[in-house]
Amino acid sequence: MLFASLSLVAHFLFLPYAPLWSTIVIALALFVIWALAAYRDPDPASATAPR
């Protein structure tokens, strides 16, 4: 999430110089941040099971 956030800020600053590419990368970074923040383990019991 940290690298996606840094990329988002960097491309926001680059927006006046490359608007199309920056918009695409900003949208991709937002999607990555959302996907990482919304991820849930499908089987939380497996994390606590003894091995």
Side-chain angles (χ1 to χ4, degrees), residues 30-49:
L30 285 172
F31 176 75
V32 167
I33 293 169
W34 170 80
L36 290 173
Y39 176 75
R40 293 179 189 257
D41 191 10
D43 186 16
S46 66
T48 59

Side-chain angles (χ1 to χ4, degrees), residues 1-26:
M1 285 178 54
L2 175 69
F3 292 122
S5 299
L6 291 174
S7 174
L8 187 123
V9 170
H11 282 89
F12 181 75
L13 296 174
F14 230 80
L15 202 53
Y17 307 107
L20 181 62
W21 181 248
S22 292
T23 304
I24 292 169
V25 175
I26 288 170

